[in-house]
Amino acid sequence: MLDLKYLRENPEAVKRNARDRHVTIDVDAIVRAYDRRNELIRATEALRADRNTNTQAMKGKVSPEERPRLIEEGKQLKLRIAAAEEDLAAAERELEELAEKLPNMTHPDSPRGAEEADNRELQVVGTIPSFDFTPVDHVVLAEALDLVDFEAAARVSGTKFYYLKNEAVYLELALSRFALDILRDRGYTPMITPDIARTEVVAGIGFNPRGPESNIYNLENEDTSLVGTAEITLGGYYSGRTIPAEEMPLRMAGISHCFRREAGSAGQFSRGLYRVHQFTKVEMFIVCMPEDSEAMHQELLEIEKDIFSRLEIPFRVLDICTGDLGGPAYRKYDLEAWMPGRGESGEWGEVTSTSNCTDFQSRRLNVRYVDNREGKKQRGYAHLLNGTAVAVSRAIIAILENFQEADGSVRIPAALQPYTGFDRIERKREGDPS
């Protein structure tokens, strides 16, 4: 949630930010709702003060003539306070409904724009492979190598689910452990998180848990949802807590299943493992002091780059434009890996993302800090950041397509071989059990 005091004092900046993000929202209506809420708070507090005065008067020496008047006054104040509290609660709900549509403010260096073409390419790392044969996409490879079964999964679970088989199982586990080991060495606490979160936590992180536009699954007759990312559960871990400044930054690495509806996603680039309803992901999450969040954002980006550099997968870094940031993000970077099987001659495909959400999520989740380091106690909202260490299904795509060989086999990147226990995935011989 955006700081409403900031909005009240800077409505034009908030309007400009909404235009930059291509979000339609009535900022003036939010200001009016904010002012009305504050007026009702003052009126309610004044009535409560009158009630306290009345109560104190009743405890003192009161003449028989004065007592009936004070009793009647007390009854009327009780009724007026109840009505005022009801009005205040309604005003709070109205303000919350309006304010939750506000996106975070935007980093001044984020590119302004509305489409993918407006994203700014910052860096290309690695060499795009050159093949002396026509490369195929990961679906053709995986099915030929008996690594994935989409057809059986469609019968059992529906479209956009899959069975991983044979070496692909070890590849998934290897990628998860590889990423976790890198993060552990950098001081991140490894965690296995729940796959279910309460609705208020989902909403607090900035996901829409309800309605046809929601991208996550709700559990019927439960006020809970399947998580679309461990960002939800890692952020919820510190909800409602006040953290001493000297304990920050807090670094977490959470592994979870992720469930996404991916409603309406179709087309060539959504084929196979690229857009699925369930996948495994290792997620990074940081809770830090406000002055440290930009440095922490760069740290998350550097870790993502390190992981894919070690995997020898070519990638590029994008600074995401304002129209594609998502509500909670102040700034966002994506890594796109080269995928030779996309299109006619290969194309980039997103594999990781990292966002600095400043205090947008922490205001919703009530994650605060207390700072006694300079002898004067200061309090405020912590800054929260997230980043994908590895989304396993997409990393598998990049490995299969970049390391494919003319005979249909796939090499395993050297950094992963200690985790997989093999250096190559070869075609099964005719008659071999699968």
Side-chain angles (χ1 to χ4, degrees), residues 126-131 133 135-138 141 308 311-315 336-341 346-349 351 394-405 409-413:
T127 303
I128 291 174
S130 177
F131 300 98
F133 59 94
V136 295
D137 75 4
H138 71 283
L141 285 163
F308 279 85
L311 291 175
E312 305 172 59
I313 294 172
F315 64 87
E336 291 188 342
W338 183 254
M339 297 182 178
E347 186 54 82
W348 300 105
V351 286
R394 293 194 178 181
I396 288 175
I397 294 173
I399 290 170
L400 294 180
E401 294 189 2
N402 281 283
F403 289 87
Q404 61 182 294
E405 307 243 285
S409 64
V410 174
R411 291 181 293 113
I412 300 298

Side-chain angles (χ1 to χ4, degrees), residues 2 76 90 107 150 160 171 175 201 269 372:
L2 198 62
Q76 292 301 316
H107 194 288
F150 295 105
K160 294 189 177 295
L171 189 53
L175 283 162
V201 175
F269 289 172
N372 297 315

Side-chain angles (χ1 to χ4, degrees), residues 84-157:
E85 288 176 339
E86 189 174 324
D87 289 344
L88 177 57
E92 290 275 14
R93 287 192 299 272
E94 179 188 7
L95 177 58
E96 184 175 340
E97 289 174 4
L98 289 170
E100 70 180 8
K101 300 172 185 176
L102 278 168
N104 201 354
M105 297 302 288
T106 307
H107 194 288
D109 293 339
S110 293
R112 269 51 186 171
E115 302 174 351
E116 288 185 10
D118 298 316
N119 296 333
R120 181 189 297 129
E121 183 179 278
L122 299 178
Q123 186 180 14
V124 176
V125 177
T127 303
I128 291 174
S130 177
F131 300 98
D132 56 6
F133 59 94
T134 302
V136 295
D137 75 4
H138 71 283
V139 176
V140 174
L141 285 163
E143 291 180 341
L145 295 169
D146 200 21
L147 302 178
V148 180
D149 194 327
F150 295 105
E151 185 178 337
R155 291 198 310 268
V156 173
S157 304

Side-chain angles (χ1 to χ4, degrees), residues 15-59:
K15 290 177 184 178
R16 184 167 58 252
N17 183 63
R19 289 194 298 271
D20 285 345
R21 286 177 174 254
H22 300 269
V23 173
T24 302
I25 189 164
D26 190 343
V27 174
D28 291 331
I30 300 173
V31 170
R32 290 193 296 270
Y34 177 77
D35 288 343
R36 173 162 171 72
R37 191 276 307 266
N38 289 349
E39 289 170 7
L40 288 170
I41 288 174
R42 289 190 291 269
T44 303
E45 288 176 347
L47 287 171
R48 288 170 180 159
D50 290 344
R51 180 182 60 186
N52 291 339
T53 301
N54 176 271
T55 300
Q56 292 302 316
M58 289 289 291
K59 290 179 180 179

